[in-house]
Amino acid sequence: MTLHELETPVLVLDRIKMERNIARLCGRLAPFGVTLRPHVKTNKSAEVTSRIGAPGTPVTVSTLKEAGYFLDHGWNDILYAVGIVPSKLPHVEDLMRRGARLTLLLDNVEAARALAVWCRERALSVPVLIEIDTDGHRSGVKPEDPSLLDIAAALGDEEITGARLAGVLTHAGDSYNCRSAEAIEALAEQERAGAVRAAERLRAAGHRAPVVSVGSTPTAHFARSLAGVTEVRAGVFVFFDLVMRGIGVCDTDDIALSVLCTVIGHQREKGWLITDAGWMAMSRDRGTAKQPVDQGYGLVCDIDGKPLSDLVMIDANQEHGIVRHRADPAATPMLPIGTLLRVLPNHACATAAQHGAYAVVAGGTALEAQWTRFGGW
Ligand SMILES: Cc1ncc(COP(=O)(O)O)c(C=O)c1O
């Protein structure tokens, strides 16, 4: 079978590009002697994750459902990298009793106390990382924040509570806003130094904090030093996307994911092609809107994945895409009805989340496999 025979829209994964992207990050991290703990929220697929590391290797997840799915497929060393709340602890317990070696994350005294009580009551031993905010991007406590030590104290004595402080975690998500290699390098160093500093403060206060976990795809690719870091997390590096291309982390040709769609109509006076891939197929993510080159809802390629002279998906309805020449509507080629196109996504995680499977190709249009992915919580 080939892509020509599929009913569109379809999520297409180029396995060759994906494997090249994986090899690139593994090769980059090898000299640093750190563990890669891939964030599997991007791919949500055992088939894809097994190309990064065999079952049993460490993974990071963003939902407990993801943890359950990967546990069922043999990955039991799982970091749940979203702050834990008491209401999710029964789910955590279920996963642990099924054999998951879960590490949890938190950044406040309330969650630490609740976890300590819960572990003690159930005689469960749970490793915990404290989330550190190294760039103001999202959650976490600042490396110098006095509450860092309060959180560690609230976890209590492992011998008594079972909650074990294992170290610190940070995610330099502000790297997505960087505009140069130098800026990403600087942020990578800020991420590293902040996480290491927080771990040192914990150790100086008498806590064990062996794990220093950092990462985002840009900082993982641009870090010059990882001194003091024990593991790196990255997710979107597997597929890459237009946002990563816009900040200079990859080239257009590295993007392994695209949405196959069909030209279903024309609006000649406006220079529009109408396709059957709307925001349901691409997601609403407009991550390149803030970048120097706005790619609309995606960059349009031919069936072989070759970009078509500045055709972009300028707008999206639920099941309709509007494709036009980026600068000059009159320059839009009126491709025949039925033409198959492939649209590169702004944000691979968001676009992939709209689909239940990957149609896998190896460079060309011949279908090599169909890999399922899961969704929901
Ligand atoms: C906690 C955490 N770690 C790692 C990552 C991976 O970052 P990226 O998608 O840039 O590879 C994310 C992504 O959102 C994250 O939230």
Side-chain angles (χ1 to χ4, degrees):
M1 240 182 143
T2 71
L3 293 182
H4 298 270
E5 293 156 78
L6 300 180
E7 184 174 320
T8 56
V10 171
L11 183 67
V12 177
L13 171 58
D14 187 324
R15 181 180 57 77
I16 305 289
K17 290 184 183 182
M18 176 189 81
E19 287 174 353
R20 195 172 71 200
N21 296 341
I22 293 168
R24 179 177 154 201
L25 185 61
C26 292
R28 172 142 221 294
L29 293 180
F32 293 110
V34 292
T35 300
L36 173 61
R37 182 184 282 277
H39 206 318
V40 293
K41 78 184 173 76
T42 309
N43 71 72
K44 294 192 191 251
S45 155
E47 295 282 7
V48 172
T49 298
S50 66
R51 266 73 185 172
I52 314 171
T57 51
V59 292
T60 311
V61 300
S62 61
T63 71
L64 291 175
K65 183 171 176 183
E66 239 170 274
Y69 168 88
F70 282 98
L71 178 64
D72 289 343
H73 288 82
W75 283 270
N76 58 354
D77 178 357
I78 302 168
L79 164 60
Y80 173 43
V82 173
I84 193 67
V85 283
S87 59
K88 290 181 182 165
L89 291 174
H91 196 166
V92 167
E93 180 173 7
D94 175 58
L95 291 165
M96 291 183 70
R97 305 247 181 246
R98 284 167 50 201
R101 288 193 289 124
L102 265 186
T103 300
L104 300 179
L105 181 68
L106 48 78
D107 71 352
N108 58 79
V109 167
E110 294 91 319
R113 279 204 194 108
L115 182 66
V117 169
W118 178 82
C119 288
R120 192 181 55 231
E121 285 173 358
R122 282 158 186 78
L124 280 174
S125 169
V126 182
V128 183
L129 302 180
I130 299 177
E131 184 165 9
I132 308 301
D133 176 10
T134 49
D135 64 355
H137 172 67
R138 199 167 59 194
S139 33
V141 294
K142 298 265 184 247
E144 300 295 346
D145 193 323
S147 73
L148 177 67
L149 301 182
D150 299 337
I151 296 167
L155 287 172
D157 183 347
E158 185 201 347
E159 301 287 308
I160 302 165
T161 69
R164 171 162 53 88
L165 179 60
V168 296
L169 171 149
T170 192
H171 164 61
D174 213 35
S175 59
Y176 309 133
N177 299 320
C178 287
R179 291 288 171 265
S180 66
E182 293 72 30
I184 307 174
E185 275 175 22
L187 194 61
E189 177 52 20
Q190 186 177 315
E191 180 184 48
R192 182 203 70 80
V196 170
R197 169 73 186 136
E200 280 168 353
R201 284 187 63 218
L202 289 168
R203 291 168 196 152
H207 299 285
R208 285 191 71 246
V211 177
V212 177
S213 180
V214 304
S216 71
T217 289
T219 53
H221 276 291
F222 281 81
R224 283 179 172 271
S225 162
L226 287 172
V229 167
T230 60
E231 65 178 32
V232 170
R233 306 174 321 279
V236 83
F237 75 99
V238 176
F239 298 148
F240 284 131
D241 54 29
L242 292 169
V243 166
M244 290 296 131
R245 179 208 181 255
I247 59 176
V249 180
C250 69
D251 290 327
T252 306
D253 189 49
D254 296 323
I255 300 174
L257 220 53
S258 58
V259 173
L260 180 72
C261 63
T262 306
V263 174
I264 60 169
H266 302 129
Q267 291 290 356
R268 288 174 197 278
E269 68 288 0
K270 295 179 185 161
W272 289 0
L273 300 172
I274 311 292
T275 74
D276 62 354
W279 55 255
M280 280 291 278
M282 296 306 299
S283 87
R284 270 286 187 207
D285 200 296
R286 290 274 295 104
T288 55
K290 289 185 287 181
Q291 297 188 328
V293 179
D294 183 349
Q295 307 282 14
Y297 282 86
L299 186 63
V300 180
C301 304
D302 65 14
I303 180 84
D304 296 311
K306 211 160 60 41
L308 282 170
S309 60
D310 267 343
L311 276 193
V312 286
M313 185 170 157
I314 58 159
D315 208 349
N317 292 184
Q318 187 160 346
E319 301 293 353
H320 295 77
I322 299 177
V323 167
R324 202 196 67 189
H325 187 279
R326 166 192 311 281
D328 177 10
T332 309
M334 284 297 129
L335 302 169
I337 302 292
T339 303
L340 288 168
L341 298 171
R342 282 165 71 178
V343 185
L344 304 178
N346 281 321
H347 185 182
C349 310
T351 299
Q354 304 297 113
H355 298 261
Y358 301 96
V360 183
V361 296
T365 60
L367 210 55
E368 192 179 66
Q370 162 129 325
W371 294 343
T372 52
R373 44 168 291 134
F374 76 95
W377 290 263

